[in-house]
Amino acid sequence: MKSDSNRTAMLMLVFACFFWAGNALVARSVVNETGPLALAFFRWLLALLIVLPFARGIWKKSSSLLQHWPMLLLLSLVSIVGYNTFLYLAALTSSALNIGLISASMPLLTLLLARLILQQATSRLQWLSVLLACAGVVWIVCQGSWQQLLAFQFSNGDLWMLLAALDWSLYSVLLRKYQQPLQQLGLSVTELLAVLLMIGVPLLLPLWIWEQTAFNYVGLVNQQGLMALLYVAVFPSLLAYIFWIKGVASLGPAMSVMFIPLIPLFAAIGGWLWLDEFLSSWHWIGGGMILLGLFSSKKNN
């Protein structure tokens, strides 16, 4: 029974990474016109409007929610306000190579934070699995050439991407840390997401207003922008976050974050299928290393 539950959780994590890969592809195509903060704000605003009718039970639990407001505020800051905002800001100035290399650090960061915050022991096989999956990502983003890796240079957006990686790793660990009080609140996954959105969207509003007054972005007024908004609001926002919360609750942060390297792998395949980008031998080799790392971590679980 537990084996079936674990397989379901793993499948959810795979789909979450698939949707987030689409988020990266969509954001890369529109963020320079729409603005990173506008995309983040309206993405979550639309997601909130969609999810609220399915989370009406939260109003009956308002007193319990207020008692746990510090925990809920922290979770909202790192999940709703933080990660995608940092990622969209990074996409303005950071290269795809740098973003891929830095995002590969998330499994390592999660293992370190899980050890520091949760006092969670990490086996040698877990470390080897993480390193193998990260090496697969590096192999893909440097196109199988270590010369490109040696020529790695930081841009202004790399700091934002590093913050994004640290932010998501922290969120994954906090979900496990607060698993018991969250269960005591009696919230479904949909209700928890609605609560986090109700906290995070107002916090993003002044950031979007500042962006509108400081920069001359076109906004989400054309068909491409609206279609992009609809995608990022439904798939990487609602479905992926619900799948991720359930996956972490079932498998824990150390195992769950091992699926993160699938994002650049799916992005490479997506670019090949929909953007006519060339899929070379380094994609297959790197993808094999990622899948081998995931399989090794599964055997260790």
Side-chain angles (χ1 to χ4, degrees):
M1 199 70 178
K2 182 180 179 182
S3 177
D4 292 339
S5 176
N6 285 351
R7 280 195 290 267
T8 301
M10 290 177 184
L11 187 61
M12 287 183 176
L13 293 173
V14 170
F15 272 102
C17 293
F18 177 75
F19 294 147
W20 282 326
N23 177 47
L25 291 171
V26 170
R28 195 179 304 153
S29 64
V30 301
V31 71
N32 285 304
E33 289 79 29
T34 63
L37 297 176
L39 188 58
F41 171 70
F42 284 104
R43 161 192 179 161
W44 290 122
L45 177 61
L46 181 55
L48 176 60
L49 295 176
I50 294 172
V51 79
L52 269 181
F54 303 98
R56 287 174 290 184
I58 59 176
W59 308 115
K60 299 178 182 179
K61 305 168 185 175
S62 56
S63 59
S64 299
L65 294 174
L66 288 174
Q67 292 176 3
H68 291 83
W69 72 265
M71 173 188 69
L72 296 171
L73 175 61
L74 179 58
L75 288 174
S76 183
L77 284 172
V78 294
S79 62
I80 305 303
V81 179
Y83 176 70
N84 282 280
T85 302
F86 296 150
L87 176 61
Y88 293 157
L89 287 167
L92 289 174
T93 55
S94 187
S95 68
L97 173 61
N98 291 26
I99 289 176
L101 287 171
I102 296 171
S103 66
S105 68
M106 279 193 271
L108 290 172
L109 289 171
T110 302
L111 285 182
L112 290 172
L113 289 174
R115 192 173 183 86
L116 290 172
I117 297 174
L118 304 178
Q119 303 298 310
Q120 181 174 307
T122 305
S123 69
R124 292 181 180 178
L125 184 56
Q126 278 183 306
W127 285 114
L128 289 174
S129 300
V130 169
L131 290 173
L132 182 59
C134 290
V137 174
V138 172
W139 189 259
I140 290 173
V141 297
C142 71
Q143 300 179 1
S145 171
W146 296 113
Q147 285 77 10
Q148 290 204 37
L149 181 61
L150 294 174
F152 180 86
Q153 293 181 343
F154 281 97
S155 69
N156 293 333
D158 293 332
L159 177 59
W160 290 115
M161 193 58 219
L162 183 59
L163 285 173
L166 182 61
D167 179 278
W168 192 257
S169 301
L170 177 60
Y171 174 59
S172 298
V173 172
L174 289 177
L175 279 178
R176 175 52 70 96
K177 176 180 174 64
Y178 294 133
Q179 185 174 5
Q180 185 174 352
L182 287 173
Q183 289 176 344
Q184 291 174 350
L185 284 174
L187 295 173
S188 67
V189 176
T190 303
E191 290 172 339
L192 174 60
L193 181 57
V195 171
L196 298 183
L197 285 169
M198 291 175 67
I199 298 171
V201 170
L203 295 176
L204 283 169
L205 177 59
L207 298 177
W208 168 65
I209 294 174
W210 169 81
E211 181 184 69
Q212 286 298 104
T213 57
F215 303 98
N216 188 28
Y217 287 112
V218 174
L220 298 160
V221 294
N222 54 32
Q223 183 178 3
Q224 183 185 20
L226 292 175
M227 291 298 294
L229 176 62
L230 183 61
Y231 172 82
V232 298
V234 174
F235 293 96
S237 299
L238 296 179
L239 294 180
Y241 269 65
I242 289 172
F243 290 167
W244 188 261
I245 290 171
K246 289 187 174 183
V248 172
S250 178
L251 301 177
M255 176 62 184
S256 299
V257 82
M258 280 299 304
F259 288 77
I260 289 292
L262 286 175
I263 297 176
L265 176 61
F266 285 146
I269 296 174
W272 173 54
L273 291 175
W274 294 297
L275 302 178
D276 295 324
E277 293 182 354
F278 184 64
L279 193 60
S280 186
S281 60
W282 66 73
H283 293 106
W284 299 109
I285 294 173
M289 294 167 69
I290 291 171
L291 294 176
L292 183 58
L294 288 174
F295 177 77
S296 300
S297 66
K298 177 181 180 296
K299 296 293 286 185
N300 187 62
N301 190 51

